[in-house]
Short mmCIF file of all heavy atoms in Angstrom, two decimals:
data_model
loop_
_atom_site.label_atom_id
_atom_site.label_comp_id
_atom_site.label_asym_id
_atom_site.label_seq_id
_atom_site.Cartn_x
_atom_site.Cartn_y
_atom_site.Cartn_z
N ILE Q 1 10.76 -184.52 21.60
CA ILE Q 1 10.81 -183.15 22.11
C ILE Q 1 10.86 -183.21 23.63
O ILE Q 1 10.02 -183.86 24.27
CB ILE Q 1 9.60 -182.32 21.61
CG1 ILE Q 1 9.59 -180.93 22.25
CG2 ILE Q 1 8.29 -183.04 21.84
CD1 ILE Q 1 10.66 -179.99 21.73
N PHE Q 2 11.88 -182.55 24.21
CA PHE Q 2 12.07 -182.60 25.66
C PHE Q 2 11.93 -181.21 26.27
O PHE Q 2 12.30 -180.20 25.65
CB PHE Q 2 13.46 -183.16 25.98
CG PHE Q 2 13.66 -184.57 25.54
CD1 PHE Q 2 14.44 -184.86 24.42
CD2 PHE Q 2 13.06 -185.62 26.22
CE1 PHE Q 2 14.63 -186.17 24.00
CE2 PHE Q 2 13.24 -186.94 25.80
CZ PHE Q 2 14.02 -187.21 24.69
N LEU Q 3 11.41 -181.18 27.49
CA LEU Q 3 11.30 -179.93 28.23
C LEU Q 3 12.62 -179.70 28.95
O LEU Q 3 12.82 -180.15 30.08
CB LEU Q 3 10.14 -180.02 29.23
CG LEU Q 3 9.74 -178.72 29.94
CD1 LEU Q 3 9.21 -177.71 28.94
CD2 LEU Q 3 8.71 -179.00 31.02
N GLN Q 4 13.54 -179.04 28.25
CA GLN Q 4 14.88 -178.84 28.78
C GLN Q 4 15.40 -177.45 28.39
O GLN Q 4 14.85 -176.79 27.52
CB GLN Q 4 15.84 -179.92 28.25
CG GLN Q 4 15.53 -181.32 28.76
CD GLN Q 4 16.43 -182.39 28.14
OE1 GLN Q 4 17.41 -182.08 27.47
NE2 GLN Q 4 16.09 -183.64 28.37
N ASP Q 5 16.47 -177.06 29.06
CA ASP Q 5 17.11 -175.77 28.84
C ASP Q 5 18.18 -175.92 27.76
O ASP Q 5 19.02 -176.82 27.84
CB ASP Q 5 17.75 -175.32 30.16
CG ASP Q 5 18.21 -173.87 30.14
OD1 ASP Q 5 18.71 -173.42 29.10
OD2 ASP Q 5 18.08 -173.21 31.19
N ALA Q 6 18.16 -175.04 26.76
CA ALA Q 6 19.13 -175.11 25.67
C ALA Q 6 20.57 -174.96 26.15
O ALA Q 6 21.50 -175.38 25.48
CB ALA Q 6 18.82 -174.02 24.64
N ARG Q 7 20.74 -174.37 27.32
CA ARG Q 7 22.09 -174.17 27.85
C ARG Q 7 22.67 -175.44 28.46
O ARG Q 7 23.88 -175.54 28.63
CB ARG Q 7 22.06 -173.06 28.91
CG ARG Q 7 21.75 -171.68 28.35
CD ARG Q 7 21.36 -170.71 29.44
NE ARG Q 7 20.03 -171.01 29.99
CZ ARG Q 7 19.34 -170.19 30.78
NH1 ARG Q 7 19.86 -169.01 31.11
NH2 ARG Q 7 18.15 -170.53 31.24
N LYS Q 8 21.78 -176.40 28.78
CA LYS Q 8 22.25 -177.64 29.42
C LYS Q 8 21.22 -178.73 29.14
O LYS Q 8 20.28 -178.92 29.91
CB LYS Q 8 22.43 -177.44 30.92
CG LYS Q 8 23.10 -178.63 31.62
CD LYS Q 8 23.35 -178.31 33.08
CE LYS Q 8 23.94 -179.49 33.83
NZ LYS Q 8 25.23 -179.96 33.26
N THR Q 9 21.40 -179.44 28.06
CA THR Q 9 20.46 -180.48 27.66
C THR Q 9 20.96 -181.85 28.12
O THR Q 9 22.08 -181.99 28.61
CB THR Q 9 20.26 -180.51 26.13
OG1 THR Q 9 21.42 -181.12 25.52
CG2 THR Q 9 20.08 -179.12 25.57
N GLU Q 10 20.11 -182.85 27.93
CA GLU Q 10 20.49 -184.23 28.25
C GLU Q 10 20.83 -185.02 26.99
O GLU Q 10 20.93 -186.25 27.02
CB GLU Q 10 19.37 -184.91 29.03
CG GLU Q 10 19.12 -184.26 30.39
CD GLU Q 10 17.97 -184.89 31.15
OE1 GLU Q 10 17.54 -186.00 30.77
OE2 GLU Q 10 17.48 -184.26 32.12
N ILE Q 11 21.01 -184.31 25.87
CA ILE Q 11 21.40 -184.98 24.63
C ILE Q 11 22.83 -185.52 24.77
O ILE Q 11 23.71 -184.85 25.32
CB ILE Q 11 21.32 -183.99 23.44
CG1 ILE Q 11 19.88 -183.48 23.29
CG2 ILE Q 11 21.77 -184.66 22.14
CD1 ILE Q 11 19.73 -182.37 22.26
N GLU Q 12 23.08 -186.71 24.27
CA GLU Q 12 24.38 -187.35 24.43
C GLU Q 12 25.48 -186.62 23.67
O GLU Q 12 25.23 -186.01 22.62
CB GLU Q 12 24.31 -188.80 23.95
CG GLU Q 12 23.44 -189.70 24.81
CD GLU Q 12 23.45 -191.14 24.32
OE1 GLU Q 12 24.24 -191.45 23.40
OE2 GLU Q 12 22.67 -191.95 24.86
N ASP Q 13 26.68 -186.71 24.17
CA ASP Q 13 27.85 -186.13 23.50
C ASP Q 13 27.98 -186.71 22.09
O ASP Q 13 27.77 -187.92 21.87
CB ASP Q 13 29.14 -186.47 24.25
CG ASP Q 13 29.23 -185.79 25.61
OD1 ASP Q 13 28.31 -185.04 25.95
OD2 ASP Q 13 30.23 -186.05 26.32
N SER Q 14 28.34 -185.86 21.14
CA SER Q 14 28.69 -186.29 19.77
C SER Q 14 27.65 -187.23 19.15
O SER Q 14 28.00 -188.19 18.46
CB SER Q 14 30.07 -186.98 19.78
OG SER Q 14 31.05 -186.14 20.35
N SER Q 15 26.37 -186.94 19.38
CA SER Q 15 25.31 -187.82 18.88
C SER Q 15 24.49 -187.19 17.75
O SER Q 15 23.66 -187.85 17.15
CB SER Q 15 24.36 -188.19 20.02
OG SER Q 15 23.73 -187.03 20.56
N ILE Q 16 24.76 -185.93 17.46
CA ILE Q 16 23.95 -185.18 16.50
C ILE Q 16 24.74 -184.87 15.23
O ILE Q 16 25.90 -184.45 15.30
CB ILE Q 16 23.45 -183.86 17.14
CG1 ILE Q 16 22.63 -184.14 18.40
CG2 ILE Q 16 22.65 -183.03 16.14
CD1 ILE Q 16 21.39 -184.98 18.19
N SER Q 17 24.11 -185.08 14.08
CA SER Q 17 24.77 -184.79 12.80
C SER Q 17 24.66 -183.31 12.44
O SER Q 17 25.62 -182.70 11.95
CB SER Q 17 24.13 -185.62 11.68
OG SER Q 17 24.00 -186.96 12.04
N THR Q 18 23.47 -182.72 12.69
CA THR Q 18 23.20 -181.35 12.26
C THR Q 18 22.32 -180.64 13.28
O THR Q 18 21.30 -181.20 13.71
CB THR Q 18 22.48 -181.33 10.89
OG1 THR Q 18 23.22 -182.12 9.96
CG2 THR Q 18 22.34 -179.93 10.36
N VAL Q 19 22.71 -179.44 13.64
CA VAL Q 19 21.85 -178.58 14.47
C VAL Q 19 21.23 -177.53 13.56
O VAL Q 19 21.93 -176.87 12.79
CB VAL Q 19 22.64 -177.89 15.60
CG1 VAL Q 19 21.79 -176.83 16.29
CG2 VAL Q 19 23.15 -178.91 16.61
N ILE Q 20 19.91 -177.40 13.63
CA ILE Q 20 19.19 -176.35 12.88
C ILE Q 20 18.32 -175.63 13.89
O ILE Q 20 17.41 -176.22 14.46
CB ILE Q 20 18.32 -176.93 11.76
CG1 ILE Q 20 19.14 -177.82 10.83
CG2 ILE Q 20 17.65 -175.81 10.97
CD1 ILE Q 20 18.29 -178.56 9.79
N THR Q 21 18.60 -174.35 14.13
CA THR Q 21 17.86 -173.65 15.17
C THR Q 21 17.80 -172.16 14.90
O THR Q 21 18.61 -171.61 14.14
CB THR Q 21 18.49 -173.92 16.56
OG1 THR Q 21 17.56 -173.56 17.57
CG2 THR Q 21 19.80 -173.16 16.74
N SER Q 22 16.82 -171.51 15.53
CA SER Q 22 16.69 -170.06 15.46
C SER Q 22 16.49 -169.54 16.87
O SER Q 22 15.39 -169.64 17.42
CB SER Q 22 15.50 -169.68 14.57
OG SER Q 22 15.41 -168.27 14.43
N PRO Q 23 17.54 -169.00 17.48
CA PRO Q 23 17.44 -168.55 18.88
C PRO Q 23 16.51 -167.35 19.02
O PRO Q 23 16.27 -166.61 18.05
CB PRO Q 23 18.88 -168.14 19.22
CG PRO Q 23 19.73 -168.70 18.13
CD PRO Q 23 18.87 -168.77 16.92
N PRO Q 24 15.98 -167.11 20.21
CA PRO Q 24 15.21 -165.89 20.44
C PRO Q 24 16.12 -164.67 20.28
O PRO Q 24 17.31 -164.74 20.58
CB PRO Q 24 14.73 -166.03 21.88
CG PRO Q 24 15.74 -166.95 22.52
CD PRO Q 24 16.15 -167.91 21.44
N TYR Q 25 15.55 -163.59 19.80
CA TYR Q 25 16.32 -162.36 19.67
C TYR Q 25 16.58 -161.77 21.05
O TYR Q 25 15.85 -162.03 22.00
CB TYR Q 25 15.57 -161.34 18.82
CG TYR Q 25 15.62 -161.58 17.33
CD1 TYR Q 25 15.71 -162.86 16.79
CD2 TYR Q 25 15.57 -160.50 16.45
CE1 TYR Q 25 15.75 -163.07 15.43
CE2 TYR Q 25 15.61 -160.70 15.07
CZ TYR Q 25 15.70 -161.98 14.57
OH TYR Q 25 15.74 -162.19 13.21
N VAL Q 26 17.61 -160.92 21.13
CA VAL Q 26 17.92 -160.27 22.40
C VAL Q 26 16.76 -159.37 22.82
O VAL Q 26 16.53 -159.15 24.01
CB VAL Q 26 19.24 -159.48 22.30
CG1 VAL Q 26 19.15 -158.35 21.29
CG2 VAL Q 26 19.66 -158.96 23.66
N THR Q 27 16.02 -158.84 21.89
CA THR Q 27 14.84 -158.03 22.20
C THR Q 27 13.59 -158.81 21.82
O THR Q 27 12.68 -158.30 21.18
CB THR Q 27 14.87 -156.69 21.43
OG1 THR Q 27 15.03 -156.95 20.04
CG2 THR Q 27 16.00 -155.83 21.91
N SER Q 28 13.57 -160.07 22.20
CA SER Q 28 12.55 -160.99 21.71
C SER Q 28 11.20 -160.77 22.36
O SER Q 28 11.05 -160.05 23.33
CB SER Q 28 12.99 -162.43 21.96
OG SER Q 28 12.92 -162.71 23.35
N TYR Q 29 10.21 -161.46 21.77
CA TYR Q 29 8.91 -161.55 22.40
C TYR Q 29 9.07 -162.22 23.76
O TYR Q 29 9.94 -163.06 23.95
CB TYR Q 29 7.98 -162.43 21.56
CG TYR Q 29 7.69 -161.94 20.17
CD1 TYR Q 29 8.40 -162.42 19.09
CD2 TYR Q 29 6.69 -161.01 19.96
CE1 TYR Q 29 8.12 -162.00 17.81
CE2 TYR Q 29 6.39 -160.57 18.67
CZ TYR Q 29 7.11 -161.06 17.60
OH TYR Q 29 6.83 -160.62 16.33
N GLU Q 30 8.20 -161.86 24.71
CA GLU Q 30 8.19 -162.55 26.00
C GLU Q 30 7.30 -163.79 25.85
O GLU Q 30 6.09 -163.75 26.03
CB GLU Q 30 7.66 -161.60 27.09
CG GLU Q 30 8.59 -160.43 27.40
CD GLU Q 30 9.93 -160.88 27.98
OE1 GLU Q 30 10.02 -162.02 28.46
OE2 GLU Q 30 10.88 -160.09 27.94
N TYR Q 31 7.93 -164.89 25.50
CA TYR Q 31 7.18 -166.12 25.22
C TYR Q 31 6.36 -166.57 26.42
O TYR Q 31 5.26 -167.10 26.27
CB TYR Q 31 8.13 -167.23 24.77
CG TYR Q 31 8.69 -167.01 23.38
CD1 TYR Q 31 9.89 -166.35 23.18
CD2 TYR Q 31 8.00 -167.46 22.26
CE1 TYR Q 31 10.39 -166.13 21.91
CE2 TYR Q 31 8.49 -167.25 20.99
CZ TYR Q 31 9.69 -166.59 20.82
OH TYR Q 31 10.19 -166.36 19.56
N ALA Q 32 6.89 -166.38 27.61
CA ALA Q 32 6.15 -166.78 28.81
C ALA Q 32 4.84 -166.02 28.90
O ALA Q 32 3.78 -166.59 29.20
CB ALA Q 32 7.01 -166.54 30.05
N ASP Q 33 4.88 -164.72 28.63
CA ASP Q 33 3.67 -163.90 28.68
C ASP Q 33 2.69 -164.31 27.58
O ASP Q 33 1.48 -164.40 27.80
CB ASP Q 33 4.02 -162.42 28.51
CG ASP Q 33 4.64 -161.82 29.77
OD1 ASP Q 33 5.14 -162.62 30.60
OD2 ASP Q 33 4.62 -160.60 29.92
N LEU Q 34 3.22 -164.54 26.39
CA LEU Q 34 2.36 -164.83 25.24
C LEU Q 34 1.60 -166.14 25.40
O LEU Q 34 0.52 -166.30 24.85
CB LEU Q 34 3.19 -164.86 23.96
CG LEU Q 34 3.83 -163.53 23.56
CD1 LEU Q 34 4.62 -163.70 22.28
CD2 LEU Q 34 2.79 -162.44 23.39
N HIS Q 35 2.17 -167.07 26.13
CA HIS Q 35 1.53 -168.38 26.29
C HIS Q 35 0.88 -168.55 27.66
O HIS Q 35 0.62 -169.67 28.09
CB HIS Q 35 2.57 -169.49 26.05
CG HIS Q 35 3.05 -169.54 24.63
ND1 HIS Q 35 4.36 -169.69 24.30
CD2 HIS Q 35 2.36 -169.44 23.47
CE1 HIS Q 35 4.48 -169.69 22.97
NE2 HIS Q 35 3.29 -169.54 22.45
N GLN Q 36 0.62 -167.43 28.32
CA GLN Q 36 0.09 -167.53 29.68
C GLN Q 36 -1.32 -168.10 29.72
O GLN Q 36 -1.70 -168.77 30.69
CB GLN Q 36 0.13 -166.17 30.38
CG GLN Q 36 -0.71 -165.09 29.73
CD GLN Q 36 -0.60 -163.77 30.47
OE1 GLN Q 36 -1.31 -163.56 31.44
NE2 GLN Q 36 0.29 -162.90 30.02
N LEU Q 37 -2.14 -167.86 28.68
CA LEU Q 37 -3.50 -168.39 28.70
C LEU Q 37 -3.50 -169.91 28.79
O LEU Q 37 -4.18 -170.51 29.62
CB LEU Q 37 -4.28 -167.93 27.46
CG LEU Q 37 -4.44 -166.42 27.26
CD1 LEU Q 37 -5.30 -166.13 26.03
CD2 LEU Q 37 -5.05 -165.76 28.49
N THR Q 38 -2.70 -170.54 27.92
CA THR Q 38 -2.57 -172.00 27.97
C THR Q 38 -1.91 -172.42 29.27
O THR Q 38 -2.30 -173.41 29.89
CB THR Q 38 -1.74 -172.50 26.78
OG1 THR Q 38 -2.37 -172.08 25.56
CG2 THR Q 38 -1.64 -174.02 26.78
N GLY Q 39 -0.92 -171.66 29.69
CA GLY Q 39 -0.22 -171.98 30.93
C GLY Q 39 -1.15 -172.03 32.12
O GLY Q 39 -1.06 -172.95 32.96
N TYR Q 40 -2.06 -171.07 32.21
CA TYR Q 40 -3.01 -171.04 33.32
C TYR Q 40 -4.04 -172.16 33.22
O TYR Q 40 -4.34 -172.85 34.19
CB TYR Q 40 -3.73 -169.69 33.37
CG TYR Q 40 -2.86 -168.52 33.76
CD1 TYR Q 40 -2.99 -167.29 33.11
CD2 TYR Q 40 -1.91 -168.63 34.78
CE1 TYR Q 40 -2.20 -166.21 33.47
CE2 TYR Q 40 -1.11 -167.56 35.13
CZ TYR Q 40 -1.27 -166.35 34.47
OH TYR Q 40 -0.48 -165.28 34.82
N TRP Q 41 -4.60 -172.35 32.03
CA TRP Q 41 -5.65 -173.36 31.86
C TRP Q 41 -5.12 -174.77 32.04
O TRP Q 41 -5.79 -175.64 32.60
CB TRP Q 41 -6.30 -173.22 30.48
CG TRP Q 41 -7.44 -172.25 30.47
CD1 TRP Q 41 -7.48 -171.02 29.86
CD2 TRP Q 41 -8.72 -172.40 31.11
NE1 TRP Q 41 -8.69 -170.41 30.08
CE2 TRP Q 41 -9.48 -171.24 30.84
CE3 TRP Q 41 -9.29 -173.41 31.87
CZ2 TRP Q 41 -10.78 -171.05 31.31
CZ3 TRP Q 41 -10.59 -173.24 32.35
CH2 TRP Q 41 -11.32 -172.07 32.06
N PHE Q 42 -3.92 -175.04 31.55
CA PHE Q 42 -3.37 -176.40 31.60
C PHE Q 42 -2.50 -176.62 32.83
O PHE Q 42 -1.80 -177.63 32.92
CB PHE Q 42 -2.57 -176.69 30.33
CG PHE Q 42 -3.39 -176.72 29.07
CD1 PHE Q 42 -4.74 -176.40 29.05
CD2 PHE Q 42 -2.80 -177.07 27.86
CE1 PHE Q 42 -5.49 -176.43 27.88
CE2 PHE Q 42 -3.54 -177.11 26.68
CZ PHE Q 42 -4.89 -176.79 26.70
N ASP Q 43 -2.50 -175.64 33.74
CA ASP Q 43 -1.74 -175.74 35.00
C ASP Q 43 -0.24 -175.87 34.79
O ASP Q 43 0.46 -176.51 35.57
CB ASP Q 43 -2.25 -176.92 35.85
CG ASP Q 43 -3.72 -176.75 36.25
OD1 ASP Q 43 -4.10 -175.62 36.59
OD2 ASP Q 43 -4.47 -177.75 36.22
#
């Protein structure tokens, strides 16, 4: 698991057999806000 942006990853070209994913909705939860407690405590 890498801390990277889905729009531009470091995964190699043509290296993956199957992508399985569920993108955030356009009216999605604000994940940054929801995880702020851990974000603050863990710096």
Side-chain angles (χ1 to χ4, degrees):
I1 175 72
F2 297 105
L3 189 64
Q4 293 176 10
D5 192 322
R7 293 164 289 192
K8 188 175 177 59
T9 75
E10 295 177 15
I11 300 173
E12 293 182 7
D13 292 359
S14 305
S15 62
I16 302 299
S17 312
T18 308
V19 171
I20 306 173
T21 196
S22 183
Y25 282 31
V26 63
T27 54
S28 71
Y29 298 97
E30 293 296 342
Y31 288 92
D33 285 21
L34 295 180
H35 293 136
Q36 62 181 276
L37 300 183
T38 303
Y40 291 139
W41 272 111
F42 294 5
D43 298 320

